[in-house]
């Protein structure tokens, strides 16, 4: 006989901060044995990231400044789910074009992750994009703010995995996406999911 799991319920919520990308709330959550406890966390719009893999087996990495950590990080082309009504695969294609000047002939789901569930509800879906082509020069997105000095490089997928394991790549979505891409490649791409696969709930 299995034990009955406690159902954590929100007995009350206070919004501490509301912004365009995230809000900060305090929930009063019911606890096992009775009573409630306060839990502060960030409610986030969600994000997508893209492992763009070319015909030579190279992946696209971008390096950009991230102010909370005060340095430039190696990352995947990625962005927020902040366009109303846009599906996840379309958002991934948009970010790939905006950050790497690329389009993809095929796109599949690699992996989903809760980026930091100890303090945020953010979910990131990482896609695999293949059959890459350049966006024509006259149609490219104008990069602004931190993206204005974005570096874009292509490295062999196995080299990117080495960078992850050596601690050179620490962005959570990049770590998960690159390791998942290497595993999916080694499995003959049989583990990929459809681009419209439901997000974890």
């Amino acid at each position: 006989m299995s034990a009955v799991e406690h159902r954590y319920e929100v007995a009350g919520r206070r919004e501490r901060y509301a912004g365009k990308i995230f809000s900060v709330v305090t929930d009063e959550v019911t606890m096992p044995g009775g009573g409630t406890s306060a839990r502060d966390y960030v409610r986030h719009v969600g994000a997508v990231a893209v492992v763009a893999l070319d015909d030579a087996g190279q992946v696209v990495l971008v390096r950009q400044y991230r102010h909370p950590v005060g340095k430039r990080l190696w990352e995947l082309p990625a962005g927020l789910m902040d366009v109303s009504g846009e599906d996840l695969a379309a958002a991934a294609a948009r970010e790939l074009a905006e950050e790497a000047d690329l389009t993809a002939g095929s796109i599949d789901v690699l992996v989903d992750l809760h980026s930091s569930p100890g303090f945020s509800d953010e979910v990131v879906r990482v896609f695999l994009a293949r059959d890459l082509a350049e966006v024509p020069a006259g149609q490219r997105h104008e990069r602004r703010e931190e993206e204005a000095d974005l570096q874009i490089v292509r490295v062999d997928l196995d080299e990117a995995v080495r960078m992850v394991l050596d601690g050179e790549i620490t962005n959570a979505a990049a770590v998960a996406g690159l390791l998942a891409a290497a595993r999916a490649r080694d499995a003959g791409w049989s583990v990929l999911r459809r681009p419209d696969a439901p997000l974890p709930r």
Side-chain angles (χ1 to χ4, degrees), residues 103-182:
T103 62
S106 70
I107 191 161
D108 298 284
V109 175
L110 267 176
V111 68
D112 297 314
L113 63 145
H114 289 102
S115 58
S116 191
F119 80 94
S120 176
D121 68 353
E122 181 187 29
V123 176
V124 182
R125 168 156 284 181
V126 185
F127 289 91
L128 174 70
R130 291 176 288 176
D131 303 322
L132 306 179
E134 299 280 340
V135 173
Q139 299 174 23
R140 293 183 178 177
H141 176 73
E142 182 184 349
R143 299 187 187 101
R144 299 179 178 173
E145 298 179 341
E146 288 93 342
E147 292 182 352
D149 72 346
L150 199 72
Q151 292 174 256
I152 305 168
V153 301
R154 293 193 192 196
V155 301
D156 186 80
L157 176 56
D158 289 326
E159 171 64 9
V161 169
R162 182 204 62 76
M163 292 170 72
V164 168
L165 298 177
D166 282 354
E168 296 172 40
I169 297 175
T170 59
N171 172 278
V175 169
L178 293 166
L179 295 178

Coordinates of all heavy atoms in Angstrom, one line a residue, residues 103-182:
T103 N 17.6 30.4 -40.5 CA 16.3 29.8 -40.5 C 16.6 28.3 -40.4 O 17.7 27.8 -40.7 CB 15.6 30.1 -41.8 OG1 16.3 29.6 -42.9 CG2 15.3 31.6 -41.9
A104 N 15.5 27.5 -40.1 CA 15.7 26.1 -40.0 C 14.6 25.4 -40.8 O 13.4 25.7 -40.8 CB 15.6 25.6 -38.5
G105 N 15.0 24.3 -41.6 CA 14.1 23.6 -42.3 C 13.3 22.5 -41.5 O 12.3 22.1 -41.8
S106 N 13.9 22.1 -40.3 CA 13.3 21.2 -39.4 C 13.6 21.6 -38.0 O 14.6 22.2 -37.7 CB 13.7 19.8 -39.7 OG 15.1 19.6 -39.2
I107 N 12.6 21.4 -37.1 CA 12.7 21.7 -35.7 C 12.0 20.7 -34.9 O 10.9 20.3 -35.2 CB 12.2 23.2 -35.4 CG1 12.6 23.6 -34.0 CG2 10.7 23.3 -35.7 CD1 12.5 25.1 -33.9
D108 N 12.7 20.2 -33.8 CA 12.2 19.2 -33.0 C 12.4 19.6 -31.5 O 13.3 20.4 -31.2 CB 12.8 17.8 -33.2 CG 12.6 17.3 -34.6 OD1 11.5 16.8 -34.9 OD2 13.5 17.4 -35.5
V109 N 11.7 18.9 -30.6 CA 12.0 19.2 -29.2 C 13.1 18.3 -28.7 O 13.0 17.1 -28.9 CB 10.7 18.9 -28.3 CG1 11.0 19.1 -26.9 CG2 9.6 19.9 -28.8
L110 N 14.0 18.9 -28.0 CA 15.1 18.1 -27.4 C 14.8 17.9 -25.9 O 14.9 16.7 -25.5 CB 16.4 19.0 -27.5 CG 17.4 18.7 -28.6 CD1 18.5 19.7 -28.6 CD2 17.9 17.3 -28.6
V111 N 14.6 18.9 -25.1 CA 14.4 18.8 -23.7 C 13.7 19.9 -23.1 O 13.7 21.0 -23.7 CB 15.9 18.6 -23.1 CG1 16.7 19.9 -23.2 CG2 15.8 18.1 -21.6
D112 N 13.0 19.7 -22.0 CA 12.3 20.8 -21.2 C 13.0 20.8 -19.9 O 13.4 19.8 -19.3 CB 10.8 20.4 -21.1 CG 10.1 20.4 -22.4 OD1 10.3 21.3 -23.2 OD2 9.3 19.5 -22.6
L113 N 13.1 22.0 -19.3 CA 13.7 22.1 -18.0 C 13.0 23.2 -17.2 O 12.6 24.2 -17.7 CB 15.2 22.3 -18.0 CG 15.8 23.6 -18.7 CD1 17.0 24.0 -17.9 CD2 16.1 23.3 -20.1
H114 N 12.9 23.0 -15.9 CA 12.6 24.0 -14.9 C 14.0 24.6 -14.5 O 14.8 23.9 -13.9 CB 11.9 23.4 -13.7 CG 10.5 23.0 -14.0 ND1 10.2 21.7 -14.2 CD2 9.4 23.7 -14.1 CE1 8.9 21.6 -14.4 NE2 8.4 22.8 -14.4
S115 N 14.3 25.8 -14.9 CA 15.6 26.3 -14.9 C 16.1 26.5 -13.4 O 17.3 26.3 -13.2 CB 15.7 27.7 -15.6 OG 14.8 28.6 -15.0
S116 N 15.3 26.9 -12.5 CA 15.7 27.0 -11.1 C 14.5 26.9 -10.2 O 14.0 27.9 -9.7 CB 16.4 28.4 -10.9 OG 17.0 28.5 -9.7
P117 N 13.9 25.7 -10.0 CA 12.7 25.5 -9.3 C 12.7 25.8 -7.8 O 11.6 25.9 -7.2 CB 12.4 24.0 -9.6 CG 13.7 23.4 -9.8 CD 14.5 24.4 -10.5
G118 N 13.8 26.1 -7.3 CA 13.9 26.5 -5.9 C 13.3 27.9 -5.7 O 12.9 28.3 -4.6
F119 N 13.3 28.8 -6.7 CA 12.8 30.1 -6.6 C 12.0 30.7 -7.8 O 11.6 31.8 -7.8 CB 13.9 31.1 -6.2 CG 14.8 31.6 -7.3 CD1 14.4 32.7 -8.0 CD2 15.8 30.8 -7.8 CE1 15.2 33.2 -9.1 CE2 16.6 31.3 -8.8 CZ 16.3 32.5 -9.5
S120 N 11.9 29.9 -8.8 CA 11.2 30.3 -10.0 C 10.3 29.2 -10.6 O 10.7 28.1 -10.6 CB 12.2 30.9 -11.0 OG 11.5 31.3 -12.2
D121 N 9.2 29.6 -11.3 CA 8.4 28.6 -12.0 C 8.8 28.6 -13.5 O 8.1 28.0 -14.3 CB 6.9 28.9 -11.8 CG 6.4 30.2 -12.5 OD1 7.3 31.0 -13.0 OD2 5.2 30.5 -12.5
E122 N 9.9 29.3 -13.9 CA 10.3 29.3 -15.3 C 10.5 27.9 -15.9 O 11.1 27.1 -15.3 CB 11.6 30.1 -15.5 CG 12.0 30.2 -16.9 CD 13.4 30.8 -17.1 OE1 14.2 30.7 -16.2 OE2 13.6 31.4 -18.2
V123 N 9.8 27.7 -17.1 CA 10.1 26.5 -17.9 C 10.7 27.0 -19.2 O 10.3 27.9 -19.8 CB 8.7 25.8 -18.2 CG1 9.0 24.6 -19.1 CG2 8.0 25.4 -16.9
V124 N 11.8 26.2 -19.5 CA 12.5 26.5 -20.8 C 12.4 25.3 -21.7 O 12.7 24.1 -21.2 CB 14.0 26.8 -20.6 CG1 14.7 27.1 -21.9 CG2 14.1 28.0 -19.6
R125 N 11.9 25.4 -22.9 CA 11.9 24.4 -23.9 C 13.1 24.6 -24.8 O 13.3 25.6 -25.4 CB 10.6 24.3 -24.7 CG 10.7 23.4 -25.9 CD 9.3 22.9 -26.3 NE 8.9 21.8 -25.4 CZ 7.7 21.2 -25.5 NH1 6.9 21.5 -26.5 NH2 7.4 20.2 -24.7
V126 N 13.9 23.5 -25.0 CA 15.1 23.6 -25.9 C 14.7 22.7 -27.1 O 14.4 21.6 -27.0 CB 16.3 23.1 -25.2 CG1 17.5 23.2 -26.1 CG2 16.6 23.8 -23.9
F127 N 14.9 23.4 -28.3 CA 14.6 22.8 -29.6 C 15.9 22.4 -30.3 O 16.9 23.0 -30.0 CB 13.8 23.7 -30.5 CG 12.4 23.9 -30.1 CD1 12.1 25.0 -29.2 CD2 11.4 23.1 -30.6 CE1 10.7 25.2 -28.9 CE2 10.1 23.3 -30.2 CZ 9.7 24.4 -29.3
L128 N 15.8 21.4 -31.1 CA 16.9 21.1 -32.1 C 16.5 21.6 -33.4 O 15.4 21.3 -34.0 CB 17.1 19.6 -32.2 CG 18.2 19.2 -33.2 CD1 19.6 19.6 -32.8 CD2 18.1 17.7 -33.4
A129 N 17.3 22.5 -34.0 CA 17.0 23.0 -35.4 C 18.1 22.5 -36.3 O 19.3 22.6 -36.1 CB 17.1 24.6 -35.3
R130 N 17.6 22.0 -37.5 CA 18.5 21.5 -38.5 C 18.1 22.0 -39.9 O 17.2 22.8 -40.0 CB 18.5 19.9 -38.5 CG 19.1 19.4 -37.3 CD 19.0 17.8 -37.2 NE 17.7 17.4 -36.9 CZ 17.3 16.2 -36.9 NH1 18.1 15.2 -37.2 NH2 16.0 15.9 -36.7
D131 N 18.9 21.6 -40.9 CA 18.6 22.2 -42.3 C 18.7 23.7 -42.2 O 17.7 24.4 -42.6 CB 17.3 21.7 -42.8 CG 17.2 20.2 -42.8 OD1 18.2 19.5 -43.1 OD2 16.1 19.6 -42.6
L132 N 19.8 24.2 -41.8 CA 19.9 25.6 -41.5 C 20.2 26.4 -42.8 O 20.9 25.9 -43.7 CB 21.1 25.9 -40.5 CG 21.0 25.2 -39.2 CD1 22.3 25.5 -38.3 CD2 19.7 25.5 -38.4
A133 N 19.8 27.7 -42.9 CA 20.0 28.6 -44.0 C 20.2 30.0 -43.4 O 19.6 30.3 -42.4 CB 18.9 28.5 -45.0
E134 N 21.0 30.8 -44.1 CA 21.2 32.2 -43.7 C 20.0 33.0 -44.0 O 19.4 32.9 -45.0 CB 22.4 32.7 -44.4 CG 23.7 32.0 -44.1 CD 24.4 32.4 -42.8 OE1 24.0 33.5 -42.3 OE2 25.2 31.6 -42.3
V135 N 19.7 33.9 -43.1 CA 18.7 35.0 -43.3 C 19.3 36.0 -44.3 O 20.5 36.4 -44.0 CB 18.2 35.7 -42.0 CG1 17.3 36.9 -42.3 CG2 17.5 34.7 -41.1
P136 N 18.7 36.4 -45.4 CA 19.3 37.3 -46.3 C 19.7 38.6 -45.6 O 19.0 39.1 -44.6 CB 18.2 37.6 -47.3 CG 17.3 36.4 -47.3 CD 17.4 35.9 -45.8
A137 N 20.8 39.2 -46.0 CA 21.4 40.4 -45.2 C 20.4 41.5 -45.0 O 20.3 42.1 -44.0 CB 22.6 40.9 -46.0
G138 N 19.6 41.8 -46.0 CA 18.6 42.9 -45.9 C 17.4 42.6 -45.0 O 16.7 43.5 -44.7
Q139 N 17.3 41.4 -44.6 CA 16.1 41.0 -43.7 C 16.5 40.7 -42.3 O 15.7 40.2 -41.5 CB 15.4 39.8 -44.4 CG 14.9 40.0 -45.7 CD 14.3 38.8 -46.4 OE1 13.9 37.8 -45.7 NE2 14.3 38.7 -47.7
R140 N 17.7 40.9 -41.9 CA 18.2 40.6 -40.6 C 17.7 41.5 -39.5 O 17.6 42.7 -39.8 CB 19.7 40.5 -40.6 CG 20.2 39.3 -41.5 CD 21.7 39.1 -41.5 NE 22.1 38.0 -42.3 CZ 23.3 37.6 -42.6 NH1 24.3 38.2 -42.0 NH2 23.5 36.5 -43.3
H141 N 17.6 41.0 -38.4 CA 17.1 41.7 -37.2 C 18.2 42.6 -36.7 O 19.4 42.3 -36.7 CB 16.8 40.7 -36.1 CG 16.3 41.3 -34.8 ND1 15.1 41.9 -34.6 CD2 17.0 41.4 -33.6 CE1 15.0 42.3 -33.3 NE2 16.2 42.0 -32.7
E142 N 17.8 43.9 -36.3 CA 18.8 44.8 -35.8 C 18.9 44.5 -34.3 O 17.9 44.7 -33.5 CB 18.3 46.3 -36.0 CG 19.3 47.3 -35.5 CD 18.8 48.7 -35.6 OE1 17.7 48.9 -36.3 OE2 19.4 49.6 -35.0
R143 N 20.1 44.2 -33.9 CA 20.3 43.8 -32.5 C 20.6 45.1 -31.7 O 21.4 45.9 -32.1 CB 21.5 42.8 -32.3 CG 21.2 41.5 -33.1 CD 22.2 40.5 -32.8 NE 22.0 39.3 -33.7 CZ 22.6 39.0 -34.8 NH1 23.6 39.8 -35.2 NH2 22.3 38.0 -35.5
R144 N 20.0 45.2 -30.5 CA 20.2 46.3 -29.6 C 20.6 45.9 -28.2 O 20.5 44.7 -27.9 CB 18.9 47.1 -29.6 CG 18.4 47.6 -30.9 CD 17.1 48.4 -30.8 NE 16.8 48.9 -32.2 CZ 15.7 49.5 -32.5 NH1 14.7 49.6 -31.5 NH2 15.4 49.9 -33.7
E145 N 21.0 46.9 -27.4 CA 21.3 46.7 -26.0 C 22.4 45.6 -25.9 O 23.4 45.6 -26.6 CB 20.1 46.5 -25.2 CG 19.1 47.7 -25.2 CD 17.9 47.5 -24.4 OE1 17.5 46.3 -24.1 OE2 17.2 48.5 -24.1
E146 N 22.2 44.6 -25.0 CA 23.3 43.6 -24.8 C 23.5 42.8 -26.1 O 24.6 42.3 -26.3 CB 22.9 42.7 -23.7 CG 23.0 43.3 -22.3 CD 21.7 43.8 -21.8 OE1 20.8 44.1 -22.6 OE2 21.6 44.1 -20.6
E147 N 22.5 42.7 -26.9 CA 22.6 41.9 -28.1 C 23.5 42.6 -29.2 O 23.9 42.0 -30.2 CB 21.3 41.6 -28.7 CG 20.5 40.6 -27.8 CD 19.1 40.2 -28.4 OE1 18.7 40.8 -29.4 OE2 18.5 39.3 -27.9
A148 N 23.7 43.9 -29.0 CA 24.5 44.7 -30.0 C 25.9 44.1 -30.1 O 26.5 44.3 -31.2 CB 24.5 46.1 -29.7
D149 N 26.5 43.6 -29.1 CA 27.9 43.0 -29.2 C 27.9 41.5 -29.0 O 28.9 40.9 -28.6 CB 28.8 43.7 -28.2 CG 28.6 43.3 -26.7 OD1 27.5 42.7 -26.4 OD2 29.5 43.6 -25.9
L150 N 26.8 40.9 -29.4 CA 26.7 39.4 -29.4 C 27.8 38.8 -30.3 O 27.9 39.2 -31.4 CB 25.3 39.1 -29.9 CG 24.7 37.7 -29.6 CD1 24.3 37.6 -28.2 CD2 23.5 37.5 -30.5
Q151 N 28.5 37.8 -29.7 CA 29.4 37.0 -30.6 C 28.7 35.8 -31.0 O 28.0 35.1 -30.2 CB 30.6 36.7 -29.7 CG 31.5 37.8 -29.3 CD 32.6 37.3 -28.4 OE1 32.6 37.5 -27.2 NE2 33.6 36.6 -29.0
I152 N 28.9 35.4 -32.2 CA 28.2 34.1 -32.7 C 29.3 33.3 -33.3 O 30.1 33.7 -34.1 CB 27.2 34.5 -33.9 CG1 26.2 35.4 -33.4 CG2 26.6 33.2 -34.3 CD1 25.3 36.0 -34.5
V153 N 29.4 32.0 -32.8 CA 30.4 31.1 -33.3 C 29.8 29.7 -33.6 O 28.7 29.5 -33.1 CB 31.6 30.9 -32.3 CG1 32.3 32.2 -32.0 CG2 31.1 30.3 -31.0
R154 N 30.5 28.9 -34.4 CA 30.0 27.5 -34.6 C 31.2 26.6 -34.1 O 32.3 26.8 -34.4 CB 29.7 27.2 -36.0 CG 28.5 28.0 -36.5 CD 28.0 27.4 -37.9 NE 27.0 28.3 -38.5 CZ 26.2 28.0 -39.5 NH1 26.3 26.8 -40.0 NH2 25.4 28.8 -40.0
V155 N 30.8 25.7 -33.3 CA 31.8 24.7 -32.8 C 31.2 23.3 -33.0 O 30.0 23.1 -33.0 CB 32.2 24.9 -31.3 CG1 32.7 26.3 -31.1 CG2 31.0 24.7 -30.4
D156 N 32.1 22.3 -33.1 CA 31.6 20.9 -33.2 C 30.8 20.6 -31.9 O 31.2 21.0 -30.8 CB 32.9 20.0 -33.3 CG 32.5 18.6 -33.6 OD1 32.2 18.2 -34.7 OD2 32.5 17.8 -32.6
L157 N 29.8 19.8 -32.1 CA 28.9 19.4 -31.0 C 29.7 18.8 -29.9 O 29.5 19.1 -28.7 CB 27.8 18.5 -31.4 CG 26.9 18.0 -30.3 CD1 26.2 19.1 -29.5 CD2 25.8 17.1 -31.0
D158 N 30.7 17.9 -30.2 CA 31.5 17.3 -29.2 C 32.4 18.3 -28.4 O 32.6 18.1 -27.2 CB 32.3 16.1 -29.8 CG 31.4 14.9 -30.1 OD1 30.4 14.7 -29.5 OD2 31.8 14.3 -31.2
E159 N 32.8 19.3 -29.1 CA 33.6 20.3 -28.5 C 32.7 21.1 -27.5 O 33.2 21.5 -26.5 CB 34.2 21.3 -29.6 CG 34.9 22.5 -29.0 CD 36.1 22.3 -28.1 OE1 36.6 21.1 -28.0 OE2 36.6 23.2 -27.5
A160 N 31.5 21.4 -27.9 CA 30.6 22.1 -27.1 C 30.3 21.3 -25.8 O 30.2 21.8 -24.7 CB 29.3 22.4 -27.8
V161 N 30.2 20.0 -25.9 CA 30.0 19.1 -24.8 C 31.2 19.2 -23.9 O 31.1 19.2 -22.6 CB 29.7 17.6 -25.2 CG1 29.8 16.7 -24.0 CG2 28.3 17.6 -25.9
R162 N 32.4 19.2 -24.5 CA 33.6 19.3 -23.7 C 33.6 20.6 -22.9 O 34.0 20.7 -21.7 CB 34.9 19.3 -24.5 CG 36.2 19.4 -23.7 CD 37.3 19.9 -24.6 NE 37.1 21.3 -25.1 CZ 37.2 22.4 -24.3 NH1 37.5 22.3 -23.0 NH2 37.0 23.6 -24.9
M163 N 33.1 21.7 -23.5 CA 33.1 23.0 -22.9 C 32.1 23.0 -21.7 O 32.3 23.6 -20.6 CB 32.6 24.1 -23.9 CG 33.6 24.4 -25.0 SD 33.0 25.5 -26.3 CE 32.9 27.0 -25.4
V164 N 31.0 22.2 -21.8 CA 30.1 22.0 -20.7 C 30.8 21.3 -19.6 O 30.7 21.8 -18.4 CB 28.8 21.2 -21.2 CG1 28.0 20.8 -20.0 CG2 28.0 22.1 -22.1
L165 N 31.4 20.2 -19.9 CA 32.0 19.4 -18.8 C 33.2 20.1 -18.2 O 33.5 19.8 -17.0 CB 32.4 18.0 -19.4 CG 31.2 17.2 -19.9 CD1 31.6 15.9 -20.5 CD2 30.1 17.0 -18.8
D166 N 33.8 21.0 -18.9 CA 35.0 21.7 -18.4 C 34.5 23.0 -17.6 O 35.4 23.7 -17.1 CB 36.0 22.1 -19.5 CG 36.8 20.9 -19.9 OD1 36.8 19.9 -19.3 OD2 37.6 21.1 -20.9
G167 N 33.2 23.3 -17.6 CA 32.8 24.4 -16.9 C 32.8 25.7 -17.7 O 32.7 26.8 -17.1
E168 N 33.1 25.7 -19.0 CA 33.2 26.9 -19.8 C 31.8 27.3 -20.2 O 31.6 28.5 -20.5 CB 34.0 26.6 -21.0 CG 35.5 26.3 -20.7 CD 36.2 25.9 -22.0 OE1 36.0 26.5 -23.1 OE2 37.0 24.9 -21.9
I169 N 30.8 26.4 -20.3 CA 29.4 26.7 -20.5 C 28.6 26.4 -19.3 O 28.6 25.2 -18.8 CB 28.9 25.9 -21.7 CG1 29.6 26.3 -23.0 CG2 27.4 26.2 -21.9 CD1 29.3 25.5 -24.2
T170 N 28.0 27.4 -18.7 CA 27.3 27.2 -17.5 C 25.8 27.6 -17.5 O 25.0 27.3 -16.6 CB 27.9 28.0 -16.3 OG1 27.9 29.4 -16.7 CG2 29.3 27.5 -16.0
N171 N 25.4 28.3 -18.6 CA 24.0 28.6 -18.8 C 23.2 27.3 -18.8 O 23.4 26.4 -19.5 CB 23.8 29.3 -20.1 CG 22.4 29.6 -20.5 OD1 21.7 28.7 -21.0 ND2 21.9 30.7 -20.2
A172 N 22.1 27.3 -17.9 CA 21.4 26.0 -17.7 C 20.8 25.4 -19.0 O 20.9 24.2 -19.3 CB 20.3 26.2 -16.7
A173 N 20.1 26.3 -19.8 CA 19.5 25.8 -21.0 C 20.6 25.3 -22.0 O 20.3 24.3 -22.7 CB 18.7 26.9 -21.7
A174 N 21.7 25.9 -22.1 CA 22.8 25.5 -23.0 C 23.3 24.2 -22.5 O 23.6 23.3 -23.3 CB 23.9 26.6 -23.0
V175 N 23.6 24.0 -21.2 CA 24.1 22.8 -20.7 C 23.1 21.6 -21.0 O 23.5 20.6 -21.6 CB 24.3 22.9 -19.1 CG1 24.6 21.5 -18.6 CG2 25.5 23.8 -18.8
A176 N 21.9 21.8 -20.7 CA 20.9 20.8 -20.9 C 20.7 20.5 -22.4 O 20.7 19.3 -22.8 CB 19.5 21.2 -20.3
G177 N 20.6 21.5 -23.2 CA 20.4 21.4 -24.6 C 21.6 20.7 -25.4 O 21.4 19.8 -26.2
L178 N 22.8 21.1 -25.0 CA 23.9 20.5 -25.7 C 24.1 19.0 -25.3 O 24.4 18.2 -26.2 CB 25.2 21.3 -25.4 CG 25.2 22.7 -26.0 CD1 26.3 23.6 -25.4 CD2 25.3 22.7 -27.5
L179 N 24.0 18.7 -24.0 CA 24.1 17.3 -23.6 C 23.0 16.5 -24.2 O 23.2 15.3 -24.7 CB 24.1 17.2 -22.1 CG 25.3 17.8 -21.4 CD1 25.1 17.7 -19.9 CD2 26.6 17.2 -21.8
A180 N 21.7 17.0 -24.3 CA 20.6 16.3 -24.9 C 20.9 16.1 -26.4 O 20.5 15.0 -26.9 CB 19.3 17.1 -24.6
A181 N 21.4 17.1 -27.0 CA 21.7 17.0 -28.5 C 22.7 15.9 -28.8 O 22.5 15.1 -29.7 CB 22.2 18.3 -29.0
A182 N 23.7 15.8 -28.0 CA 24.7 14.8 -28.1 C 24.1 13.4 -27.9 O 24.4 12.4 -28.7 CB 25.9 15.0 -27.2

